[in-house]
């Protein structure tokens, strides 16, 4: 009982304070020295983290999980909003963000372009292997604009792939893309066909600037902040630009493929079963579904995600009064398609940064929506119509 009282206290107090760093808030919590500095501590030593300090929060939870699994006592355990079962899982499979590099932009100037950085933040890519892809683990910021990224102006390249092609005919653009493909297949494909070896396939390589591709391939760059494993490969500056054009073409093709898949979501919803939920299924939806499927880590802790969608019973009830429940269904299906193609959608799928929820869960939500979003008292909180998706 004491532990659950402390958990409640932690959830209420786990808020966000103003950020005094020059770093933009979206990057400060995972990629700067502030990522391990909570703004305050609970009496038992557990940190109070800002809602963007995912790295520090996950690092602390993972540390507690490892100690718990080893039988070591840790007073922070009593304020941790994570079940013992989850702690055992976390101990063997650490939480996301812990591989995030420190100062990835400042430590390697010119590695990214302002254009490629914005594109990546809007629609992150996952990794693709010979047997399939993974959904992006990077948090997406679909509304971020270039002005917010100007803090990095002295650390990124100003090149824009579309500006590089300015004044070039369509035929010439296609020619350069094809030449880039040929260079890739000749010099890069053995390690970059999939993400398995290098971490970057041809879509992932769209993150890097023309200048960096040239410098890194020819081993001309100061490698103090990055471990080099790739052998030097001779590339001209022209070839580097042609490769960059090919990489962005690959990214655009993957994005279009995903966008086309997303158009099928309304039909998928309409074809789903509409059997009413049983009492036990309804109880599960209102009490366990959001926790079991990695939603509460963001949506029940005070901050931006919670402001947008509160998964508590009262929060969900209030949300349904102002919003279309089809959006929940759509975002969950979107995440499955993001995992299928290894690229983020312009409206990101959920749960963001996590594996997609199962088809069983998606079907459960679909049936719930089609039957009026009934609460535990069988009161309809939404009105299903054939055009609900609109």
């Amino acid at each position: 009982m004491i532990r659950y009282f402390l958990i409640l206290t932690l959830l209420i107090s786990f808020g966000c304070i103003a950020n005094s760093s020059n770093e933009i808030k979206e990057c400060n919590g995972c990629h700067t020295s502030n990522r391990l500095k909570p703004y305050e501590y609970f009496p038992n030593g557990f940190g109070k983290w800002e809602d963007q300090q995912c790295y520090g929060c996950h690092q602390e939870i993972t540390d507690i999980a490892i100690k718990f699994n080893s039988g070591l006592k840790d007073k922070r355990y009593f304020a941790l909003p994570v079940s013992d079962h989850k702690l055992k899982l976390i101990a063997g499979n650490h939480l996301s963000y812990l591989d995030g590099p420190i100062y990835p932009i400042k430590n390697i100037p010119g590695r990214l372009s302002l254009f490629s950085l914005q594109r990546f933040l809007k629609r992150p890519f996952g990794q693709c292997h010979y047997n399939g892809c993974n959904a992006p683990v990077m948090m997406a910021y679909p509304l971020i604009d270039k002005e917010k990224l100007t803090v990095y102006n002295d650390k990124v390249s100003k090149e824009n792939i579309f500006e590089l092609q300015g004044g070039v005919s369509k035929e010439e653009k296609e020619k350069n893309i094809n030449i880039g493909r040929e260079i890739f297949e000749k010099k890069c494909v053995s390690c970059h066909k999939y993400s398995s070896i290098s971490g970057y396939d041809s879509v992932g390589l769209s993150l890097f600037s023309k200048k960096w591709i040239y410098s890194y391939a020819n081993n001309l760059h100061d490698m103090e902040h990055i471990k080099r494993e790739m052998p030097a490969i001779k590339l001209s500056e022209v070839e580097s630009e042609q490769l960059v054009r090919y990489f962005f073409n690959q990214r655009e093709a993957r994005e279009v493929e995903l966008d086309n898949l997303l158009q099928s979501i309304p039909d998928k919803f309409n074809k789903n079963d509409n059997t009413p939920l049983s009492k036990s299924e309804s109880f599960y939806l209102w009490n366990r579904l959001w926790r079991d499927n990695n939603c509460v880590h963001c949506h029940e802790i005070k901050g931006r995600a919670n402001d947008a969608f509160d998964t508590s019973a009262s929060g969900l009830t209030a949300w349904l009064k102002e919003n279309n429940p089809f959006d929940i269904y759509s975002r969950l299906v979107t995440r499955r398609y993001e995992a299928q193609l290894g690229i983020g959608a312009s409206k990101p799928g959920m749960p963001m940064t996590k594996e997609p929820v199962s088809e069983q869960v998606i079907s459960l939500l679909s049936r719930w929506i089609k039957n009026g979003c009934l609460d535990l008292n069988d009161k309809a909180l939404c009105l299903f119509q054939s055009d609900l998706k609109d």
Side-chain angles (χ1 to χ4, degrees), residues 308-326:
F309 180 63
D310 180 354
T311 54
S312 67
S314 59
L316 180 57
T317 300
W319 186 88
L320 287 168
K321 292 178 181 179
E322 304 292 336
N323 296 276
N324 188 338
F326 176 77

Side-chain angles (χ1 to χ4, degrees), residues 336-355:
R336 294 189 68 83
Y337 289 150
E338 287 178 335
Q340 181 178 326
L341 294 177
I343 193 76
S346 56
K347 187 173 184 179
M350 293 291 174
M352 200 184 297
T353 80
K354 297 288 187 178
E355 290 299 310

Side-chain angles (χ1 to χ4, degrees), residues 143-189:
L143 301 180
I144 198 165
D145 54 38
K146 288 184 179 179
E147 286 68 29
K148 199 167 188 180
L149 298 174
T150 54
V151 66
Y152 299 119
N153 269 350
D154 61 337
K155 299 297 182 182
V156 297
S157 166
K158 305 305 187 298
E159 71 187 39
N160 181 321
I161 183 62
F162 295 110
E163 291 175 356
L164 289 175
Q165 300 181 81
V168 179
S169 67
K170 180 179 178 181
E171 291 74 18
E172 189 67 18
K173 291 176 185 177
E174 291 178 353
K175 177 183 177 181
N176 282 319
I177 289 170
N178 287 331
I179 293 175
R181 180 182 291 105
E182 291 172 2
I183 297 169
F184 178 78
E185 291 176 351
K186 180 179 179 181
K187 299 185 177 184
C188 316
V189 75

Side-chain angles (χ1 to χ4, degrees), residues 266-301:
D267 287 337
K268 176 181 173 69
F269 176 80
N270 289 331
K271 292 176 182 177
N272 281 351
D273 182 19
N274 61 358
T275 304
L277 269 59
S278 66
K279 290 293 184 182
S280 60
E281 288 175 322
S282 182
F283 181 86
Y284 175 75
L285 186 147
W286 282 95
N287 289 281
R288 293 297 312 176
L289 183 146
W290 312 103
R291 179 169 297 278
D292 290 351
N293 290 280
N294 299 305
C295 305
V296 299
H297 301 104
C298 296
H299 290 283
E300 277 194 24
I301 294 175

Side-chain angles (χ1 to χ4, degrees), residues 35 54-60 62 94-101:
R35 65 188 187 175
C54 305
Y55 183 99
C57 181
H58 286 193
Q59 177 63 55
E60 185 166 26
T62 299
H94 298 177
L95 294 172
S96 54
Y97 302 117
L98 299 188
D99 293 328

Side-chain angles (χ1 to χ4, degrees), residues 7-27:
I7 288 173
L8 178 62
T9 303
L10 182 145
L11 286 172
I12 293 172
S13 304
F14 207 142
C16 175
I17 62 172
N19 183 0
S20 59
S21 169
N22 289 328
E23 301 290 334
I24 60 174
K25 185 162 58 174
E26 281 76 8
C27 304

